Amino acid sequence: MITTVAYLSLHTSPLAQPGAGDSGGMNVYIHELARTMARRGIHVDVYTRRTSPDEPDRVEVAANYAVLHVTAGPVEPLPAGELSDHVAEFAEGVIKEAYARGNDYDVVHSHYWLSGWAGVIVKEALGIPLANSFHTLGRIKDATRRSDEPASSATRLLTEDEVIAQSDCVIASTPYEAQDLMDHYDASPERLCTSPPGIDHTIFHPADRGAARSWLGLGDEPIVLFVGRIQPLKGLDVAVSAMSMLGPDVHLVAVGGPSGPAGKAEHQRLQALAGDLDLQDRVHFVPPQQHEQLAEFYRASNVLVMPSRSESFGLVAAEAQACGVPVVAAKVGGLAHIVADGESGFLVDGWDPADYARAIGRILDDPSLAASLSRGAIEFAERFSWPATADRLLELYTGITADEPA
């Protein structure tokens, strides 16, 4: 029986604001999963790197759910690409705390390749099984990255191989990610498990579009919504370019902030692109929002656009559909699993802005089609829930614990 779990999230905290820096869907995933497990009576400690001297050693988020800050490297925010030198120190901090509390964790579940690296060290030191979720994979990102983006480091690629080899269970968000792990990393299918993230349906559900627009101070114009960090990977440049091919009354609302070393430059590039296309009055950049408030942005919109170059799952697409919003997304990774092409939205091959404009235009120009896709989106999203995710993960945790020698 699983009673206590350690989650490792070295490079980003579940308490951080999603949508900027290195905070995104993974933060939401860990936070919601920890809350759901805690409600089941399972104690969850989430270990993350300390980025400010003001962060306490331990934050009791809820009953049975705590976030622990571990000092590893400079006590300041650092890009994920600069954290590899501090993995061992982070792992040592986790091990020290685990022994202080009696080494009673049943499982360690690491998130992302950096945490996976630390997870291997923690597993060996504590003698407990390791589950790992990558959330993104270097080789998969490299296959579709924009030409001006640097390739993944050799350190990352080699570490991913090692984490896969040492994990008792590698958890993929979708069957597509599981296939990628086998095709590109030669992962053993016997130790691959699939468990999709969930949706909080008490927050993300259909409601009156007019009320949402009034709350946000928006008018009656057609709204295409983008939600995500501003970085080349997310394809916002494709969405901005597509706007130039849509009607003059259509507006793009982009919710998110710069992310990664090139984030600020990308934001400036996108603003310049909007100006060059004479779209400065129709493309609106909105700072990152609290997760719960995103529901109002979804409900206020006619279409969500997600031209990502890589997505292991695509939580934003799932949440938007739960609110009844059709999605136009790139046919990559988990998005092909999350969006039912022709039923809850449209999947687009490649990143030609004209293709996205055509798909968005079909929805905006045909109220009957839009209504049908909205109904399909709500129905399709019902299959994703955090209780179901917790059920599946507890099954996986129990399996790898039972495999441990007595």
Side-chain angles (χ1 to χ4, degrees), residues 259-335:
S259 174
K264 290 183 179 179
E266 183 69 7
H267 193 190
Q268 293 170 352
R269 176 178 177 273
L270 292 168
Q271 290 175 314
L273 177 62
D276 291 343
L277 296 173
D278 199 23
L279 297 171
Q280 59 270 17
D281 295 329
R282 293 170 48 207
V283 175
H284 312 279
F285 294 94
V286 178
Q289 301 293 305
Q290 293 294 325
H291 188 228
E292 294 79 5
Q293 291 180 348
L294 285 178
E296 297 297 339
F297 282 88
Y298 292 140
R299 288 191 279 262
S301 305
N302 299 85
V303 181
L304 177 86
V305 62
M306 204 166 180
S308 301
R309 294 182 175 274
S310 177
E311 288 285 349
S312 61
F313 182 71
L315 187 60
V316 165
E319 291 173 345
Q321 289 177 115
C323 294
V325 181
V327 176
V328 172
K331 192 177 182 180
V332 295
L335 291 173

Side-chain angles (χ1 to χ4, degrees), residues 139-147 233 308-310 332 351:
R139 290 193 179 103
I140 306 307
K141 290 175 67 175
D142 286 348
T144 54
R145 63 184 170 86
R146 211 168 68 189
S147 60
L233 177 73
S308 301
R309 294 182 175 274
S310 177
V332 295
W351 295 274

Side-chain angles (χ1 to χ4, degrees), residues 358-404:
R358 276 191 291 270
I360 293 168
R362 286 183 62 187
I363 298 171
L364 297 181
D365 295 340
D366 188 339
S368 177
L369 174 63
S372 175
L373 293 174
S374 176
R375 292 190 296 269
I378 295 166
E379 181 179 351
F380 194 69
E382 288 175 355
R383 68 188 65 192
F384 303 110
S385 73
W386 290 114
T389 301
D391 287 343
R392 174 59 174 152
L393 287 176
L394 286 172
E395 177 186 353
L396 299 177
Y397 296 163
T398 300
I400 60 176
T401 302
D403 290 341
E404 287 293 292

Side-chain angles (χ1 to χ4, degrees), residues 50-134:
R50 191 189 310 276
T51 59
S52 167
D54 297 329
E55 292 171 337
D57 290 342
R58 185 181 186 93
V59 177
E60 298 291 342
V61 182
N64 297 318
Y65 167 24
V67 172
L68 288 78
H69 295 103
V70 176
T71 299
V75 182
E76 62 187 29
L78 293 174
E82 298 180 13
L83 291 174
S84 59
D85 289 342
H86 310 299
V87 169
E89 186 179 2
F90 178 80
E92 288 168 6
V94 174
I95 294 164
K96 180 179 178 181
E97 178 63 27
Y99 275 122
R101 56 167 290 129
N103 190 18
D104 62 348
Y105 293 121
D106 298 305
V107 176
V108 57
H109 183 172
S110 51
H111 298 267
Y112 197 58
W113 71 274
L114 287 164
S115 295
W117 183 354
V120 170
I121 300 171
V122 171
K123 168 190 173 175
E124 293 175 351
L126 301 183
I128 58 176
L130 169 67
N132 185 76
S133 299
F134 281 102

